[in-house]
Amino acid sequence: MTPDTLLTVSGFSVTYDVDPPVEAVRDVSLELRRGEILGLAGESGCGKTTLAYGIQRLLKPPAVITGGRTVFHDESGQDVDINALDADALRAFRWDKVSMVFQGAMNALNPVVAIGRQLEDVFTTHRPAMGRAERREECARLLDIVGVGRERLRSYPHELSGGMRQRVMIAMAMALRPQLMIMDEPTTALDVLVQRGILRQISELREELGFSVIFITHDLPLLLEISDRIAVMKDGRIVEIDSAERIYRDPQHEYTRRLLASFPSLTGERGDFVRGAEKEAAR
Amino acid sequence: MTTLEFTNVSKRYKVRGAGDMLALDDVSFTLTSGQTIALVGQSGSGKSTIAKILTQLERASSGEVLLDGEPIPHRGPGLRRYRQRVRMVFQDPFASLNPYHTIRHHLERPLRLDKVVPKDQVEDEVRALLERVRLDPDATIDRRPHELSGGQRQRVAIARALASRPELLIADEPVSMLDVSIRLGVLNLLADLQRESDLGVLYITHDLATARHFSDEIMVLHHGVVVERGAADSVILDPQHEYTRALRDASPDPDKHFAAGAASTARS
């Protein structure tokens, strides 16, 4: 571990205790650096979401953490063993240190409450000492930062486009200046143009505020562009973890190569995608 | 040779309290057998409205849709015959197959309804269809949709579309619900089938990369207007319209990303 390590996950395993039990995450170890964007790639069912939920103990039964530790190295120098936190400490820890943008998060907003009020909730819960005026100003500022604009504070979710709602969720996740934001397919439901805008914003905010991001998606080309490092998961294990450039130029694992080959290049050669190719068809 | 002409088609939807919404504005194109046209654009650009008009789930507000020079019948046996010749593959194979029925039932129905083959040959035809989409008949025929993977289900949906021996296929985002590693398999299958049966395919997608590799021509739709069309490679590699360029530049393209990265490192 180096001083700029933010999170150490070691030997982490999660099992869904159903019949027969499903080992969704198997013996995963990784270190996340401060200010780093780590991409977590893999197909549905590979365990990437379970891992992301697991490290902040967001899983519900039948999921059981069967082994491993997650240690969060706070800015203050204090180490927090997330698995050992009691309920109150865990509640205080979440969102304050680690926040999350969920898959399809724009649909997670309460449809009958103005977004300003929903943002304020974060502060009333986690910063009870904060005065009302300050709270309002903070929410307005957050909406400005993510490009929605403070004039939308009184808007209801249905009055905003999908992209704007997703930005509101990002604003909410940033509210307490967490050191780590976990984003689970944050742009998958959005158009490419909107997606590009949001990705640019995440990168800029990261530069400015210095938080780390774990970015989960199956869209490997996208990850290659925005991540510093990428972990490729398959069947609950990380099969390869390396810098985005190395994953792109010199993938070591056969599965990484296959995943890369699944995306035909936009402007390059056809690669494995040959019209009429038979070899993949049998799958 | 089958020709489907979409001539000066406009479609207005009435929006309560907001007047009319022009979903398609004077769109024209021709799809012929043996040709694949990709239709790309953002959500809300009118892609699915075109598919709905082609399958007559919606009627055009103005303009004409002609199959081999004849207008599409709006009802009755004529419409049925039209739908037999122009088939649709839907986006979501989890929703488009009936969970209560076996794969056999799904494929038998169009064969019986459209009387494609005599009754005593239906079983053989079902098996042949499964083989055409590279599924093992013995392993799949008595299964129900939930027992198959997403890719297998979409293959069944394609087999069902092929059962009536259509001349044209409308594929609306046929792979976007599938896992990435099986997408190319399904697209390659569609390409093979297209060559084998000289099908005309309208491939509706938001994914520029597969549009480029899978089709002969690309049409770019923006707010209901075709802003650019042309040979697939030239539309992507040398876009003329500003919107096409914006779409292309917004799409992830690691090749360009790392090529640019290498160049800047070389400079410094």
Side-chain angles (χ1 to χ4, degrees):
Chain A
M1 194 198 103
T2 59
D4 60 345
T5 303
L6 177 69
L7 190 77
T8 310
V9 179
S10 39
F12 201 77
S13 298
V14 178
T15 299
Y16 285 95
D17 201 3
V18 289
D19 191 26
V22 178
E23 293 177 56
V25 175
R26 307 176 197 209
D27 194 25
V28 166
S29 300
L30 61 88
E31 280 193 1
L32 179 71
R33 295 169 201 147
R34 247 172 249 288
E36 175 182 49
I37 297 187
L38 175 72
L40 206 50
E43 297 185 86
S44 42
C46 74
K48 55 193 193 300
T49 298
T50 305
L51 172 64
Y53 277 47
I55 55 184
Q56 5 167 20
R57 283 176 57 198
L58 275 174
L59 294 167
K60 278 190 251 171
V64 183
I65 298 176
T66 49
R69 246 159 69 93
T70 313
V71 179
F72 182 87
H73 311 286
D74 193 55
E75 276 172 331
S76 63
Q78 194 193 0
D79 280 359
V80 182
D81 181 346
I82 300 178
N83 285 7
L85 294 176
D86 61 35
D88 287 343
L90 190 60
R91 183 162 163 77
F93 175 83
R94 287 183 189 148
W95 221 257
D96 200 8
K97 307 285 187 198
V98 180
S99 67
M100 176 134 193
V101 178
F102 295 92
Q103 198 167 353
M106 61 264 208
N107 303 321
L109 290 165
N110 185 336
V112 295
V113 177
I115 55 169
R117 282 275 304 284
Q118 301 190 50
L119 276 168
E120 274 189 54
D121 275 351
V122 176
F123 296 107
T124 9
T125 309
H126 286 270
R127 303 281 185 271
M130 196 184 252
R132 177 188 267 190
E134 197 187 343
R135 209 161 58 213
R136 292 254 160 96
E137 174 51 30
E138 194 62 21
C139 294
R141 206 181 52 83
L142 281 167
L143 286 188
D144 282 341
I145 292 179
V146 294
V148 172
R150 60 178 66 212
E151 63 280 2
R152 291 330 252 302
L153 270 175
R154 301 176 70 109
S155 296
Y156 287 88
H158 73 269
E159 297 173 308
L160 305 175
S161 68
M164 285 171 107
R165 274 179 282 164
Q166 195 60 292
R167 284 169 201 263
V168 171
M169 293 309 295
I170 291 171
M172 203 178 270
M174 287 192 333
L176 304 173
R177 298 185 173 258
Q179 294 162 54
L180 170 61
M181 284 168 70
I182 298 180
M183 302 190 171
D184 189 2
E185 305 267 10
T187 58
T188 305
L190 304 173
D191 276 322
V192 280
L193 292 169
V194 182
Q195 165 171 296
R196 180 58 66 184
I198 289 181
L199 294 178
R200 200 167 288 145
Q201 195 131 46
I202 293 170
S203 297
E204 282 168 16
L205 292 168
R206 194 258 313 229
E207 298 274 304
E208 229 171 276
L209 306 171
F211 52 77
S212 309
V213 178
I214 295 180
F215 197 105
I216 306 170
T217 180
H218 64 271
D219 190 343
L220 198 50
L222 187 150
L223 274 188
L224 285 167
E225 283 192 16
I226 66 157
S227 311
D228 301 308
R229 282 192 308 153
I230 292 177
V232 179
M233 276 187 87
K234 182 176 194 302
D235 298 335
R237 292 180 207 279
I238 291 183
V239 295
E240 185 165 1
I241 179 164
D242 213 328
S243 72
E245 183 150 9
R246 290 273 295 279
I247 293 271
Y248 170 75
R249 289 194 198 286
D250 188 20
Q252 299 300 311
H253 197 277
E254 188 266 326
Y255 178 69
T256 310
R257 281 197 285 266
R258 210 174 88 207
L259 212 51
L260 281 166
S262 301
F263 294 93
S265 165
L266 180 64
T267 51
E269 290 303 308
R270 298 214 154 161
D272 273 2
F273 185 77
V274 186
R275 284 187 70 177
E278 285 282 39
K279 56 181 178 190
E280 294 284 312
R283 256 203 288 270
Chain B
M1 177 97 151
T2 312
T3 310
L4 184 68
E5 284 167 280
F6 213 70
T7 334
N8 306 106
V9 172
S10 297
K11 175 71 189 173
R12 280 168 208 286
Y13 288 111
K14 288 211 189 323
V15 181
R16 197 188 311 234
D20 282 3
M21 187 264 192
L22 192 58
L24 289 182
D25 187 3
D26 196 23
V27 173
S28 302
F29 66 89
T30 307
L31 178 66
T32 54
S33 25
Q35 179 195 31
T36 301
I37 301 184
L39 186 58
V40 304
Q42 280 180 276
S43 42
S45 61
K47 304 192 296 287
S48 293
T49 302
I50 290 184
K52 282 181 189 160
I53 291 174
L54 284 175
T55 46
Q56 282 294 298
L57 295 171
E58 291 281 356
R59 279 200 215 170
S61 307
S62 64
E64 271 191 311
V65 186
L66 305 172
L67 183 63
D68 287 339
E70 302 280 327
I72 309 182
H74 294 311
R75 60 177 76 81
L79 177 58
R80 185 113 144 239
R81 206 152 38 245
Y82 169 80
R83 285 188 175 150
Q84 198 176 324
R85 298 176 64 189
V86 181
R87 281 267 161 187
M88 178 101 180
V89 176
F90 295 94
Q91 177 172 14
D92 186 352
F94 299 83
S96 69
L97 300 178
N98 188 331
Y100 288 109
H101 288 300
T102 60
I103 303 311
R104 182 200 312 275
H105 177 88
H106 281 92
L107 299 182
E108 271 179 5
R109 262 173 70 88
L111 291 174
R112 289 183 194 281
L113 288 172
D114 291 336
K115 301 191 179 60
V116 181
V117 290
K119 271 187 186 155
D120 57 337
Q121 289 172 27
V122 165
E123 172 80 11
D124 288 344
E125 184 69 15
V126 168
R127 291 178 166 270
L129 280 167
L130 286 171
E131 273 167 13
R132 280 193 75 193
V133 295
R134 286 34 160 189
L135 288 172
D136 176 5
D138 292 321
T140 33
I141 197 161
D142 289 315
R143 304 262 178 150
R144 289 191 164 74
H146 73 269
E147 295 175 280
L148 304 180
S149 70
Q152 289 172 322
R153 270 183 260 201
Q154 196 61 307
R155 284 167 198 274
V156 170
I158 292 170
R160 178 177 58 181
L162 294 175
S164 311
R165 305 195 180 158
E167 293 143 60
L168 304 172
L169 211 58
I170 316 295
D172 190 358
E173 300 273 11
V175 297
S176 62
M177 300 284 288
L178 304 180
D179 248 334
V180 290
S181 67
I182 56 175
R183 285 184 189 173
L184 284 192
V186 171
L187 284 177
N188 279 329
L189 169 72
L190 274 172
D192 286 347
L193 294 169
Q194 187 227 12
R195 276 184 306 116
E196 285 167 21
S197 334
D198 203 30
L199 274 171
V201 178
L202 184 69
Y203 173 45
I204 301 179
T205 183
H206 63 272
D207 180 7
L208 294 184
T210 58
R212 175 180 164 217
H213 296 300
F214 181 62
S215 51
D216 307 306
E217 244 182 71
I218 294 181
M219 285 197 301
V220 184
L221 204 60
H222 182 43
H223 292 322
V225 180
V226 176
V227 295
E228 183 164 356
R229 72 174 72 189
D233 272 8
S234 68
V235 169
I236 301 298
L237 298 178
D238 184 24
Q240 300 301 311
H241 194 277
E242 174 189 7
Y243 176 71
T244 317
R245 215 168 298 136
L247 263 189
R248 190 207 47 192
D249 293 344
S251 302
D253 185 8
D255 294 334
K256 205 172 101 202
H257 177 76
F258 286 115
S264 65
T265 335
R267 269 200 305 277
S268 59

